[in-house]
Amino acid sequence: MLRDIHNDFVVNLKDRLRDVRHLIRASRQDVKLTPQELPEFMLDKVARVLDKAFTSAETVSISLISHDPTAHSGAPEARSLAAYFFENGDAGEALFCRDAYYLTKYLLKALHESNALVHEAGFASVHATMIRRHATLLSATKSGDPKAIANACAALAIELHARYRSTALFTQQATDQMRSFLCFSALALAIGLATYSNHQPDGEKLVETTLLALQARPEKLEQAITARDKLHALSDLFAFLIPHLP
């Protein structure tokens, strides 16, 4: 059976298709062209057709070889730390990679970057790093204490940002680091909310709530990002927000 293929192969296949789609989208031209620029116009048309083709190819690959094809449809949602690290065994890593990928893409689009190059497989290293470096912080979240949850999620935000720090997520490089940290802080905080409230995916976008909450406090977020002890500073911000956000 195709669906017996190891999940790592599935994820890497999808990522390679996404790489090609990223390059095609990056080659698009959304400007009005003069008759002298007809060849470029034709290339743009070809790029659009190929973009749709590779998007379709990704969809087909998911339907054929994903262990849970239905999980890729519908709106993604943040789940609890327990769902990613404690309750689902090896499947928790795959769940984390999938959710983190789609939610990151969602957040990047909300931050006006629709063609950032992000790999689903890259989140596996973050998952492993959290277990290796921050097992104590993760274990402490089982108590349900918002401060403990804030500590673990602050570590998660920092590890996510570190993983993609050298990647050009945004076309405007001057603001890349700040928006990257905003993106991954919103993702980690959403996971913190799901952990604190035992929130089950139901169509509500926790990342919308957390992104707006952080955007409303730019000074606080910048202070956390530039602090000598980023983990402590970001944890304090998360601990303040978690009990007060829906």
Side-chain angles (χ1 to χ4, degrees):
M1 292 290 292
L2 285 173
R3 291 195 179 104
D4 292 332
I5 297 173
H6 195 276
N7 185 68
D8 289 347
F9 178 85
V10 176
V11 169
N12 278 288
L13 173 60
K14 290 188 291 181
D15 281 341
R16 299 296 74 76
L17 290 170
R18 290 160 180 159
D19 285 346
V20 176
R21 183 176 58 190
H22 170 80
L23 291 173
I24 291 170
R25 287 178 175 173
S27 72
R28 283 181 177 178
Q29 299 179 23
D30 294 318
V31 296
K32 293 182 179 180
L33 299 171
T34 64
Q36 290 79 8
E37 294 171 310
L38 184 58
E40 286 76 13
F41 170 74
M42 293 302 295
L43 287 173
D44 184 54
K45 285 293 186 182
V46 171
R48 291 177 186 277
V49 171
L50 288 175
D51 183 1
K52 292 180 181 179
F54 278 101
T55 298
S56 298
E58 181 188 350
T59 302
V60 170
S61 74
I62 288 172
S63 67
L64 289 175
I65 62 179
S66 176
H67 296 91
D68 185 10
T70 60
H72 299 272
S73 61
E77 180 56 296
R79 304 167 198 266
S80 69
L81 289 167
Y84 296 137
F85 294 97
F86 305 131
E87 296 173 354
N88 295 300
D90 292 339
E93 177 186 332
L95 188 64
F96 173 78
C97 292
R98 187 188 66 213
D99 289 352
Y101 171 81
Y102 285 110
L103 289 170
T104 297
K105 294 288 283 187
Y106 181 91
L107 286 164
L108 290 171
K109 188 173 182 179
L111 293 170
H112 310 293
E113 189 60 51
S114 59
N115 193 32
L117 183 59
V118 180
H119 290 139
E120 186 174 335
F123 294 102
S125 64
V126 176
H127 188 275
T129 298
M130 287 297 297
I131 293 175
R132 185 175 68 255
R133 294 181 181 172
H134 308 292
T136 302
L137 294 181
L138 288 171
S139 181
T141 65
K142 295 177 181 179
S143 67
D145 177 46
K147 181 58 178 174
I149 295 170
N151 287 338
C153 289
L156 177 59
I158 291 169
E159 297 296 350
L160 285 165
H161 175 71
R163 173 62 181 79
Y164 282 97
R165 182 168 48 202
S166 60
T167 303
L169 294 177
F170 298 94
T171 54
Q172 298 296 324
Q173 295 300 306
T175 57
D176 183 39
Q177 296 302 305
M178 181 65 180
R179 287 199 290 168
S180 171
F181 219 113
L182 172 60
C183 169
F184 291 125
S185 293
L187 172 56
L189 182 56
I191 292 172
L193 289 185
T195 304
Y196 179 71
S197 62
N198 195 27
H199 178 87
Q200 299 299 317
D202 59 5
E204 178 188 357
K205 271 285 189 296
L206 291 181
V207 290
E208 289 180 353
T209 299
T210 56
L211 180 61
L212 289 172
L214 292 171
Q215 286 178 319
R217 298 165 175 83
E219 297 86 0
K220 294 289 186 182
L221 183 61
E222 185 173 2
Q223 288 172 7
I225 293 172
T226 57
R228 177 173 297 180
D229 187 347
K230 289 182 177 60
L231 178 61
H232 179 78
L234 194 59
S235 175
D236 284 347
L237 177 58
F238 283 5
F240 170 77
L241 292 172
I242 285 174
H244 298 97
L245 294 177

